[in-house]
Amino acid sequence: MPDAAARDLLVVDNVRKSFVKRRSWRQVIRHPLATEHVEALRGVSISVREGEFFGLLGANGAGKTTLMKVIATLMLPDAGRVTVEGADAERDPVAVRGRVALSLASERGLFWRLDARENLRLFAVLSGVPTAEVGDRVEESLGAVGMRDTGLRMVSEFSSGMVQRLLIARALVARPRVLLLDEPTRSLDPITARDFRAFLRRELSGRGCAVLLATHNTDEAFDLCDRVAVMERGQVLATGRAHDLAAALHGRRFEVETTVEGEQFLRAAAGRGLVGEVMPRPDGESTPGAWVRVMLTVVGDDVPASGAGLVAALVAAGHPVASCAPVATSLADLIQSVVSGSRTSGAA
Amino acid sequence: MMRVVWAMFRASWLTATSYRLQTLMTLVTLWVTVVPVYFLATALQPTMAAAIADEGKAYFPFMLTGAIAISLISVCVTAVPAAVQSGIGSGFLESLLATRAPRSALVVGLGVYPIAWGALRAILMLGAGVALGARLHVAGIPLAMAIAVLVVVTHWAIGLIAAAMIVAWRTAGPLTTAVVVASTLLGGAYYPTRVIPSWIQQLSAVVPLQYGLRAFRQVLFGGSDLATVWSDVAILSTFAAGLTAIGYASLHAALRYARRRGSLSHF
């Protein structure tokens, strides 16, 4: 978690971006001069502090990659402003490019017939790394993604996961102040992905680097990111800690094991401000007196929000409880809750 | 800027030479090109001698330089657009443009290897021609090289315009093909422009290659000095400067247009 006094490295202020919509030949012939636009970003505002990990969550087409490209100066916004350490992306794009590095999930921007070191060497030079430091930076970046031992193997011989790691190493070689990562662990195996997240946290927080990452990965959103923004159709619907957003939107969830028959247990729990559902048994049958699992959702301030508090309250009320474990919210649930909440409030 | 250009040249060179057999075959192909030109030119020598009196009288070096020039300008006009086109498709162009490297250095760097390789092949073909009996004036080599550089710059700049069209509209239309065909037919590659009908000669006035080729041959094979070829060199220099300015401006505008449309990586 960054220091509360840390300054904003990246500020995105009310950025709008629309694209010209592709029309059919028939439409072009009937209305040759007409144009239709699709709004990709609709007044997006976020800020990312020194040492902060900021996640962009949302379904495909929500505008996450477009936002990253605008920040990286690859796209010009129609309106709004992006600044990186005070440098304006539209007025001073060279300064911004010197501070920002971008790694896109779908990108293939490498020399496929060269080895990893040669690719990084080139991008180190393009990023303005002093000649004397190029070798060390290349080794440092390769080490960061666990690729020091790739030797003379050409990139075309790499697996998709290795290519992904190399793209991330390429972003790191410039030691950027703001790192833009689009689904950085998408093609990584679980162990490498976990190590990579640990590396990001260890190395980049210490350097005061701000990291903006678009992700569909629950671990990244809940454990790596200090804050997240949920996007839909080019808008930021909610911003905050992923755990807090999940709790605020549909409470904290616990899986409780009890001998009280599920529906009876829920009726009793409802009187204490708890809502829930009975989890179906695998065999579909219910035996009186057997342990059953019940999912409880804790909503509101006057009910116990911790597992221990919940157990104490249930036992005090005479319910036998064998276990009570918090249930992690899935990213899909979080995004869906934010989007539904936004639509409901919009309709109201 | 030179550091960026050199780094891009090095990466392209390492890539090209990773295709080892292809590299060797390219060199073998040079001989396969030069030898038929030698026999054809020798057969046509009696017919062409009078028409090329100012440019050394020997038709073999005349025809060989024409073939070399067409090969070289083809590379020059297509090098940058081809790199841009493939870079848009793969996302490589975006990767380059996202770095802090100067745009001008990236533009030079994108075309530097194929053009350098094309120039090396041209020199080797010229050397093969000398081995087969072409006589050149050694004293004219520096000036001939300078003229060749102007030819390269002129056509590289046309390539920048084609690259700008690809960035903006995903096609360069017939531009590169038209330049190569016009240069082949009207640029004096295989016959001097003065033997073609007068109305077509007027069209050839806008073909930069004819000025470069004429001056190059007069210097290298006819023994002429700068004073003799001054007007051709001046016109070629004007083409080079003007087209370079137009090429840079159009590519700059196209990149801004693509950034505004958000189409840099959409192919």
Side-chain angles (χ1 to χ4, degrees), chain A residues 80-237:
Chain A
R81 191 162 178 247
V82 173
T83 54
V84 178
E85 278 193 313
D88 188 296
E90 193 162 359
R91 289 185 196 149
D92 194 1
V94 178
V96 170
R97 281 180 216 129
R99 296 166 192 174
V100 171
L102 170 70
S103 172
L104 294 174
S106 56
E107 188 198 325
R108 310 321 267 166
L110 294 163
F111 274 92
W112 293 89
R113 300 280 299 183
L114 300 186
D115 60 47
R117 279 181 177 76
E118 285 297 344
N119 270 285
L120 293 190
R121 189 176 292 277
L122 169 69
F123 277 90
V125 172
L126 298 185
S127 303
V129 175
T131 307
E133 292 180 29
V134 167
D136 289 343
R137 289 280 191 98
V138 168
E139 293 307 318
E140 176 189 278
S141 303
L142 284 174
V145 294
M147 291 184 71
R148 279 214 179 110
D149 57 353
T150 53
L152 296 175
R153 279 176 67 191
M154 290 191 289
V155 173
S156 59
E157 297 169 7
F158 285 7
S159 66
S160 57
M162 290 172 76
V163 171
Q164 182 74 15
R165 282 149 68 189
L166 183 57
L167 286 169
I168 291 163
R170 193 193 68 185
L172 296 175
V173 82
R175 284 191 188 160
R177 297 290 289 141
V178 174
L179 184 58
L180 309 174
L181 300 172
D182 187 14
E183 298 182 51
T185 56
R186 187 172 74 167
S187 304
L188 304 189
D189 61 76
I191 296 171
T192 309
R194 185 193 59 196
D195 292 348
F196 177 68
R197 283 193 284 273
F199 159 79
L200 284 179
R201 179 54 82 184
R202 188 179 63 243
E203 294 292 319
L204 300 180
S205 291
R207 290 181 196 171
C209 180
V211 181
L212 182 67
L213 68 140
T215 184
H216 296 301
N217 182 290
T218 306
D219 289 339
E220 278 163 26
F222 283 89
D223 299 334
L224 180 62
C225 293
D226 300 307
R227 286 187 300 151
V228 298
V230 179
M231 293 184 71
E232 198 217 20
R233 296 181 190 176
Q235 282 183 305
V236 173
L237 301 181

Side-chain angles (χ1 to χ4, degrees), chain A residues 17 19 69 73-77 90 97 107-109 111 113-114 118 122 126-127 129-131 170, chain B residues 3-4 7 10 14-15 18-19 90 92 94-101 103 259-261 264-265:
Chain A
K17 179 74 197 167
F19 298 120
K69 288 189 176 185
T73 76
L74 294 172
M75 284 185 194
L76 290 169
E90 193 162 359
R97 281 180 216 129
E107 188 198 325
R108 310 321 267 166
F111 274 92
R113 300 280 299 183
L114 300 186
E118 285 297 344
L122 169 69
L126 298 185
S127 303
V129 175
T131 307
R170 193 193 68 185
Chain B
R3 196 170 162 243
V4 169
R10 184 172 185 273
L14 290 172
T15 298
S18 72
Y19 297 97
S90 66
F92 191 57
E94 273 196 338
S95 309
L96 295 177
L97 295 175
T99 66
R100 62 184 290 190
R103 297 285 161 95
R259 285 172 65 212
R260 178 67 69 194
R261 278 179 65 93
L264 258 182
S265 61

